[in-house]
Amino acid sequence: MSNYVERCIELCKQKNPGEVEFHQTVEEVLTSLKPVMDAHPEYEAAGLLERLTEPERGITFRVPWVDDNGKVQVNKGYRYEFNSAIGPYKGGLRFAPNVYPGIIKFLGFEQIFKNSLTGLPIGGGKGGSDFDPNGKSDGEVMRFCQSFMTELYRHIGPHTDVPAGDIGVGAREVGYMYGQYKKITNRFEGVLTGKGLSYGGCKGRAEATGFGIVWYAEEMLKANGEEIKGKTVVLSGFGNVSWGAAWKLQQLGAKVITISGPDGYILDEAGIDTDEKIAYLLELRGSGKNICAPYADKFAGSKFFAGKKPWEVKADLYIPCATQNEIRIEDAKAIVASGAKFVCEGSNMSSTNEAIAYMQDNGIIVGPSKAANAGGVACSCIEMGQNAGHTVFTNEQVYEQLHQIMVGIHQACADASQKYYGKYDLVKGANIAGFLKVADAMMAQGIV
Ligand code: 2IT
């Protein structure tokens, strides 16, 4: 057996020193591709993995802005345009203080396979800044977004690169960036997704990621003879993704008992399953404080556990929706000990590689984020289609397409793992199914 995969992992580590999150995803994805490389020696001859792990283009730029005290602030801006073999670069922008190239590259690399899995014509990219919108005024956020777009606009376009939101970038930020793009270019076009409904946004986009995760989880459960209805669910996070997931879980008759933030987690044994409680998640996020503790003051009977993660709570299904590596080995052990059978990742790269291996070795079915959370970007692509066609779909039309896409992704993951590993392993299957389409396109397009 060739050691092509090992050599490429090593090369990527050497070329991107210190970028541990990027190393983590490359190691995880490439390792699972070994049987594919054995079956297709032509990929090695074409330097496919060396090319795949090197972004086609990376842009870093200065983002200067003036705060409310008149002081000049300077942040770093990034856009890594990773792979355009199957479509224009597509992926979100993350504004968070821990953003550095290792984070954006991990997200961009994951996005290649995720976008491929949707079956839609979108390549992979990701961007962002070390700017923290929490605690900033609307005016500060607007000035930052305008400055960010004043550089980014020259690199993007509806057929080139189409950014969207991610952590720290929601409707408000997308709106300010879109306004600045339009002012500079004088073009009203689908250059960003996640826009407001009054100016080209797509119905259902806000909840698409969360809905998609639950539809994916539903398929995982069905494939293993179970159903969502009646299940107890531990969710983490309290942002857009958790909100959408909680809403769909409520509709399907599951009981969500936790949410979490950087400050700790909330346990609400009565269930976070009333319209009021679910809507309150949006209010909490909108407060700009990035804490979930106020939930316990608002809803009697719920408890706040400071500084802790919710994985210590027993449940049937765990859905991490906060951020990367939120499930570490000690968390994986707690989840296994709870007797649960299912973990469906909502946040990008929710689990460390060690945690995934431990959970799988102990019989847990893991739905990997690049498959399970693909509903967000799939809906973004539906938004691009509406913008290009100067049309608008109804909520029902969007939900119907999204649901079918999530069912299709689960099937593609199951089929690919069956073909190359002879078993039901959605983690490996997602990597393989996502990879094969991109590989085919790259082979067809020559050494570029
Ligand atoms: O991680 C993701 O897929 C996103 N943040 C959404 C990307 C998009 O272009 O809608």
Side-chain angles (χ1 to χ4, degrees):
M1 194 167 76
S2 100
N3 63 356
Y4 179 46
V5 160
E6 277 81 11
R7 277 189 284 115
C8 289
I9 294 171
E10 213 33 58
L11 193 68
C12 175
K13 288 182 180 171
Q14 276 168 24
K15 288 192 174 200
N16 302 276
E19 298 180 358
V20 291
E21 295 83 1
F22 182 40
H23 303 168
Q24 180 183 332
T25 172
V26 165
E27 185 150 13
E28 193 266 314
V29 173
L30 265 52
T31 302
S32 68
L33 295 179
K34 277 184 186 174
V36 182
M37 293 304 136
D38 290 340
H40 293 276
E42 69 276 19
Y43 290 163
E44 179 173 355
L48 204 73
L49 296 183
E50 294 91 327
R51 287 191 283 141
L52 197 65
T53 50
E54 185 65 38
E56 290 176 14
R57 190 177 298 104
I59 300 139
T60 70
F61 49 99
R62 175 171 70 202
V63 190
W65 55 283
V66 179
D67 70 17
D68 285 347
N69 298 318
K71 190 167 180 301
V72 175
Q73 302 282 349
V74 179
N75 285 97
K76 284 179 175 290
Y78 305 97
R79 185 75 183 165
Y80 280 94
E81 297 178 333
F82 235 105
N83 194 296
S84 61
I86 65 168
Y89 310 107
K90 180 85 197 84
L93 298 168
R94 176 176 292 192
F95 293 169
N98 66 354
V99 162
Y100 79 109
I103 294 274
I104 302 297
K105 285 190 208 165
F106 115 65
L107 290 164
F109 188 70
E110 289 271 306
Q111 201 82 39
I112 302 171
F113 308 98
K114 181 194 312 197
N115 293 3
S116 168
L117 282 169
T118 65
L120 300 169
I122 36 179
K126 203 87 187 192
S129 172
D130 57 0
F131 173 78
D132 185 0
N134 290 301
K136 303 288 192 306
S137 70
D138 278 351
E140 289 176 324
V141 170
M142 181 179 76
R143 292 192 294 280
F144 172 83
C145 288
Q146 290 176 340
S147 179
F148 187 87
M149 187 51 85
T150 299
E151 174 58 35
L152 188 66
Y153 89 93
R154 73 190 77 242
H155 307 290
I156 62 177
H159 303 291
T160 309
D161 184 357
V162 184
D166 193 86
I167 292 173
V169 179
R172 174 181 62 168
E173 289 76 14
V174 168
Y176 292 147
M177 288 190 278
Y178 191 74
Q180 185 72 355
Y181 178 90
K182 189 163 59 63
K183 182 170 173 78
I184 296 173
T185 62
N186 197 28
R187 294 171 75 93
F188 193 106
E189 56 193 6
V191 70
L192 292 173
T193 59
K195 298 185 294 297
L197 293 182
S198 56
Y199 61 96
C202 178
K203 292 186 180 130
R205 176 63 187 89
E207 62 271 27
T209 312
F211 274 30
I213 291 162
V214 177
W215 279 323
Y216 191 87
E218 192 177 30
E219 294 305 301
M220 284 167 57
L221 267 69
K222 259 198 236 163
N224 290 277
E226 301 207 29
E227 58 172 10
I228 291 262
K229 194 169 170 4
K231 292 280 182 293
T232 301
V233 183
V234 157
L235 267 188
S236 66
F238 67 101
N240 166 268
V241 178
S242 318
W243 162 75
W247 182 8
K248 181 49 76 182
L249 286 161
Q250 174 207 34
Q251 288 178 358
L252 297 182
K255 185 163 143 187
V256 174
I257 55 170
T258 63
I259 52 162
S260 73
D263 54 334
Y265 77 87
I266 294 285
L267 175 63
D268 183 351
E269 274 167 327
I272 304 173
D273 56 3
T274 62
D275 292 349
E276 191 195 0
K277 288 177 175 178
I278 293 169
Y280 183 68
L281 300 189
L282 290 183
E283 213 179 293
L284 261 181
R285 172 55 60 200
S287 76
K289 294 200 181 97
N290 204 19
I291 52 171
C292 67
Y295 183 102
D297 302 327
K298 174 129 177 122
F299 297 105
S302 63
K303 286 185 248 156
F304 174 64
F305 294 84
K308 295 201 143 191
K309 296 199 272 184
W311 316 126
E312 61 189 28
V313 178
K314 198 170 156 48
D316 304 309
L317 167 63
Y318 291 80
I319 308 187
C321 295
T323 192
Q324 69 275 351
N325 290 332
E326 55 178 310
I327 298 183
R328 298 183 168 274
I329 185 68
E330 60 276 16
D331 308 313
K333 285 182 179 165
I335 290 171
V336 167
S338 79
K341 271 176 66 184
F342 302 97
V343 172
C344 188
E345 295 185 334
S347 49
N348 287 308
M349 203 168 75
S350 312
S351 319
T352 63
N353 293 344
E354 195 189 5
I356 291 185
Y358 184 85
M359 292 190 286
Q360 289 190 318
D361 288 349
N362 285 281
I364 292 192
I365 309 287
V366 179
S369 58
K370 64 173 74 64
N373 76 17
V377 76
C379 192
S380 278
C381 193
I382 295 172
E383 182 171 332
M384 289 163 70
Q386 287 173 80
N387 295 160
H390 303 279
T391 185
V392 180
F393 295 152
T394 63
N395 250 316
E396 288 63 35
Q397 286 172 313
V398 174
Y399 289 156
E400 173 60 25
Q401 286 184 66
L402 260 181
H403 193 177
Q404 286 318 310
I405 288 169
M406 298 315 299
V407 170
I409 295 176
H410 172 268
Q411 195 59 50
C413 298
D415 291 348
S417 80
Q418 198 58 48
K419 177 164 177 200
Y420 284 93
Y421 282 90
K423 60 180 180 180
Y424 180 82
D425 179 336
L426 299 173
V427 177
K428 292 188 175 68
N431 293 334
I432 294 172
F435 169 79
L436 286 172
K437 180 178 170 192
V438 176
D440 191 63
M442 286 176 74
M443 293 301 282
Q445 293 171 24
I447 310 297
V448 292

